[in-house]
Amino acid sequence: MGLRFENGVGQTPINEEELEGLKIRTITHQGELNEFEQYNIEKALLWLRGQRLTMDQVISETFVLKLHDRMFGEVWRWAGKFRNTEKNLGVKSVMIRIA
């Protein structure tokens, strides 16, 4: 019978690699990260409502990167940029623009 430490819902620690990209150094757990991201996304949606965009603008690479920055830019340093590292989901980084 020893001490058992288990993380509750939202208490999963953020790994070291991800911590490097965070702008908010007080975030240490997934639940905190989710809250900050959600707030940033909600602000981006409010911004988006005020935009008058054509379909050509919406599907442009420039707009996609700008929207991504608006959605995650207050939380992550890499917001608004194409990923250049490999993750265990999605497409390979060299295929992002093509896919």
Side-chain angles (χ1 to χ4, degrees):
M1 182 164 169
L3 293 176
R4 292 178 52 194
F5 293 101
E6 293 183 20
N7 293 319
V9 174
Q11 293 181 325
T12 304
I14 306 296
N15 70 41
E16 291 296 321
E17 182 181 324
E18 286 184 325
L19 282 174
E20 291 176 18
L22 275 174
K23 288 183 173 181
I24 305 166
R25 302 310 287 173
T26 58
I27 295 175
T28 58
H29 293 87
Q30 189 65 47
E32 297 165 330
L33 175 59
N34 292 347
E35 287 182 34
F36 277 100
E37 284 184 338
Q38 183 62 43
Y39 177 68
N40 205 172
I41 290 168
E42 288 172 9
K43 286 176 64 175
L45 289 173
L46 288 173
W47 167 80
L48 189 58
R49 288 177 121 187
Q51 303 301 302
R52 290 193 170 272
L53 302 163
T54 65
M55 183 57 70
D56 286 340
Q57 289 171 314
V58 170
I59 62 172
S60 73
E61 185 176 290
T62 301
F63 176 75
V64 170
L65 293 176
K66 184 175 187 173
L67 180 59
H68 191 266
D69 185 53
R70 289 262 182 182
M71 292 173 68
F72 298 104
E74 293 180 12
V75 179
W76 295 102
R77 287 188 186 90
W78 45 255
K81 299 176 181 85
F82 284 108
R83 175 171 49 85
N84 58 13
T85 58
E86 300 307 323
K87 301 292 181 194
N88 62 354
L89 53 100
V91 300
K92 292 188 176 287
S93 61
V94 297
M95 298 298 292
I96 289 174
R97 286 191 167 146
I98 299 165

